[in-house]
Amino acid sequence: MIDAYSGATTFYVFDRQDPIIAAYRGIFPTLFADASAMPPELLVHVRYPQLLLQVQAVVYGLYHMTNPDVFYNREDLWTVATEVATSDQRQIVMEPNFVLMTLPGERATEFVEILPFTPAIATT
């Protein structure tokens, strides 16, 4: 957060176990604060970084498999879904989307970032 009046900068840490953040906190101890210190009116606007979700999705496409044989044979590979571009009918990889939805077992509607997967097409 950057204070518009004073220019003071505060970075809020959501994962205190992250080794990179821990290193930065050691170098700049006054620059970082725990997420619990973030003002509630700002906390409701925090979103998961789109690029981080995209990178994790690519990795998850392979590493979601829990059976070693299935993993070794790449029998259940997933890819990020594609969509047809409107102008030239070519396939493009979908980007994360924000939607309002009620998650299973919950009562409240939430603002959720989603990225759909499809089974990978085997190439032989």
Side-chain angles (χ1 to χ4, degrees):
M1 175 180 88
I2 299 174
D3 187 304
Y5 294 106
S6 69
T9 302
T10 305
F11 293 96
Y12 293 98
V13 177
F14 287 85
D15 182 3
R16 295 169 54 189
Q17 303 302 316
D18 184 295
I20 296 172
I21 291 296
Y24 276 121
R25 283 184 109 168
I27 299 167
F28 307 105
T30 60
L31 193 59
F32 296 91
D34 287 334
S36 60
M38 181 180 273
E41 58 272 8
L42 291 180
L43 190 59
V44 297
H45 295 285
V46 172
R47 299 290 175 253
Y48 199 77
Q50 182 176 338
L51 181 58
L52 184 56
L53 180 63
Q54 289 172 309
V55 169
Q56 287 176 329
V58 170
V59 173
Y60 190 70
L62 173 62
Y63 292 101
H64 72 278
M65 295 179 252
T66 56
N67 180 311
D69 292 328
V70 172
F71 176 79
Y72 179 77
N73 294 316
R74 306 292 198 256
E75 295 174 16
D76 190 26
L77 274 177
W78 296 348
T79 59
V80 174
T82 59
E83 59 187 343
V84 176
T86 56
S87 59
D88 56 4
Q89 300 298 308
R90 63 187 167 89
Q91 297 282 323
I92 57 171
V93 176
M94 292 186 74
E95 293 186 5
N97 290 297
F98 286 101
V99 297
L100 290 170
M101 66 183 296
T102 304
L103 297 171
E106 299 290 328
R107 292 178 183 234
T109 300
E110 297 183 40
F111 193 57
V112 179
E113 188 174 18
I114 62 170
L115 185 59
F117 287 93
T118 57
I121 299 171
T123 56
T124 54

